[in-house]
Amino acid sequence: MGGHELNFLDLTLTLQLDPTTQNVRASFTIYQKDTYIGVSIAHDSTHPPSHKMALVNHAIHRLLHLPLSTKDVETESRIIQHIADRNGLRA
Protein backbone atom coordinates (compact mmCIF):
# COMPACT_ATOMS: atom_id res chain seq x y z
CA MET A 1 0.00 0.00 0.00
CA GLY A 2 1.20 3.50 -0.65
CA GLY A 3 2.36 5.51 -3.59
CA HIS A 4 -0.17 4.86 -6.31
CA GLU A 5 -2.66 2.63 -4.46
CA LEU A 6 -5.66 3.51 -2.35
CA ASN A 7 -8.00 1.21 -0.43
CA PHE A 8 -11.49 2.68 -0.44
CA LEU A 9 -14.43 0.75 0.98
CA ASP A 10 -14.11 -2.71 -0.62
CA LEU A 11 -11.83 -1.70 -3.53
CA THR A 12 -8.16 -1.08 -4.12
CA LEU A 13 -7.64 1.59 -6.74
CA THR A 14 -4.25 1.54 -8.47
CA LEU A 15 -3.00 4.28 -10.78
CA GLN A 16 -0.40 3.28 -13.36
CA LEU A 17 1.39 5.39 -15.93
CA ASP A 18 1.32 3.97 -19.47
CA PRO A 19 4.91 4.51 -20.68
CA THR A 20 3.97 4.72 -24.36
CA THR A 21 1.11 7.21 -24.15
CA GLN A 22 2.02 8.89 -20.83
CA ASN A 23 -1.63 8.48 -19.77
CA VAL A 24 -2.59 7.42 -16.27
CA ARG A 25 -4.64 4.24 -16.16
CA ALA A 26 -6.78 3.16 -13.20
CA SER A 27 -7.24 -0.48 -12.27
CA PHE A 28 -9.36 -2.04 -9.56
CA THR A 29 -9.09 -5.07 -7.33
CA ILE A 30 -11.32 -6.26 -4.51
CA TYR A 31 -10.00 -5.31 -1.07
CA GLN A 32 -10.73 -7.30 2.06
CA LYS A 33 -9.30 -6.63 5.48
CA ASP A 34 -7.03 -9.28 6.96
CA THR A 35 -9.61 -9.86 9.69
CA TYR A 36 -12.40 -10.71 7.21
CA ILE A 37 -13.64 -14.27 7.81
CA GLY A 38 -16.52 -14.48 5.33
CA VAL A 39 -19.28 -15.25 7.82
CA SER A 40 -22.59 -13.51 7.27
CA ILE A 41 -25.79 -14.88 8.80
CA ALA A 42 -25.85 -18.44 10.10
CA HIS A 43 -27.62 -20.75 7.64
CA ASP A 44 -29.83 -22.19 10.39
CA SER A 45 -31.05 -18.76 11.59
CA THR A 46 -34.63 -17.63 11.12
CA HIS A 47 -33.64 -14.73 8.86
CA PRO A 48 -35.34 -14.67 5.46
CA PRO A 49 -33.38 -16.41 2.67
CA SER A 50 -32.97 -13.08 0.86
CA HIS A 51 -31.07 -11.70 3.87
CA LYS A 52 -28.85 -14.77 4.00
CA MET A 53 -28.03 -14.44 0.30
CA ALA A 54 -27.37 -10.67 0.41
CA LEU A 55 -23.60 -10.96 0.91
CA VAL A 56 -23.18 -13.47 -1.91
CA ASN A 57 -25.50 -11.51 -4.23
CA HIS A 58 -23.52 -8.32 -3.57
CA ALA A 59 -20.21 -10.09 -4.24
CA ILE A 60 -21.51 -11.54 -7.52
CA HIS A 61 -22.87 -8.15 -8.62
CA ARG A 62 -19.52 -6.52 -7.81
CA LEU A 63 -17.67 -9.27 -9.71
CA LEU A 64 -19.80 -8.77 -12.82
CA HIS A 65 -19.73 -4.97 -12.86
CA LEU A 66 -16.14 -4.05 -11.98
CA PRO A 67 -13.43 -3.98 -14.65
CA LEU A 68 -11.30 -6.71 -13.03
CA SER A 69 -8.44 -8.63 -14.57
CA THR A 70 -8.96 -12.31 -15.44
CA LYS A 71 -6.80 -13.30 -12.48
CA ASP A 72 -8.84 -11.12 -10.11
CA VAL A 73 -12.11 -12.57 -11.45
CA GLU A 74 -10.85 -16.10 -10.74
CA THR A 75 -9.66 -15.13 -7.26
CA GLU A 76 -12.92 -13.38 -6.40
CA SER A 77 -14.95 -16.33 -7.76
CA ARG A 78 -13.11 -18.66 -5.37
CA ILE A 79 -13.74 -16.25 -2.49
CA ILE A 80 -17.47 -16.07 -3.30
CA GLN A 81 -17.63 -19.88 -3.38
CA HIS A 82 -15.85 -20.00 -0.01
CA ILE A 83 -18.30 -17.47 1.47
CA ALA A 84 -21.28 -19.48 0.17
CA ASP A 85 -19.85 -22.70 1.58
CA ARG A 86 -18.96 -21.11 4.90
CA ASN A 87 -22.48 -19.73 5.29
CA GLY A 88 -24.24 -22.96 4.30
CA LEU A 89 -25.57 -21.51 1.05
CA ARG A 90 -24.70 -24.45 -1.20
CA ALA A 91 -27.43 -25.40 -3.64
Side-chain angles (χ1 to χ4, degrees):
M1 195 60 199
H4 300 95
E5 286 188 350
L6 172 68
N7 291 332
F8 181 72
L9 300 176
D10 59 354
L11 297 175
T12 297
L13 171 65
T14 305
L15 299 177
Q16 300 167 331
L17 182 63
D18 184 331
T20 57
T21 64
Q22 297 298 308
N23 291 332
V24 176
R25 194 185 90 207
S27 63
F28 300 92
T29 54
I30 304 297
Y31 171 73
Q32 293 175 345
K33 291 184 178 181
D34 295 335
T35 57
Y36 180 73
I37 58 172
V39 175
S40 179
I41 299 172
H43 70 280
D44 58 350
S45 76
T46 58
H47 286 78
S50 62
H51 292 192
K52 295 177 188 180
M53 289 297 298
L55 177 62
V56 173
N57 288 338
H58 167 72
I60 292 169
H61 182 270
R62 179 178 60 192
L63 176 70
L64 295 174
H65 290 89
L66 285 176
L68 301 174
S69 69
T70 302
K71 177 185 151 217
D72 290 335
V73 168
E74 291 171 3
T75 300
E76 187 65 12
S77 295
R78 284 193 300 275
I79 290 169
I80 292 169
Q81 185 63 56
H82 173 75
I83 292 169
D85 291 344
R86 183 128 194 206
N87 289 284
L89 301 173
R90 235 14 199 152

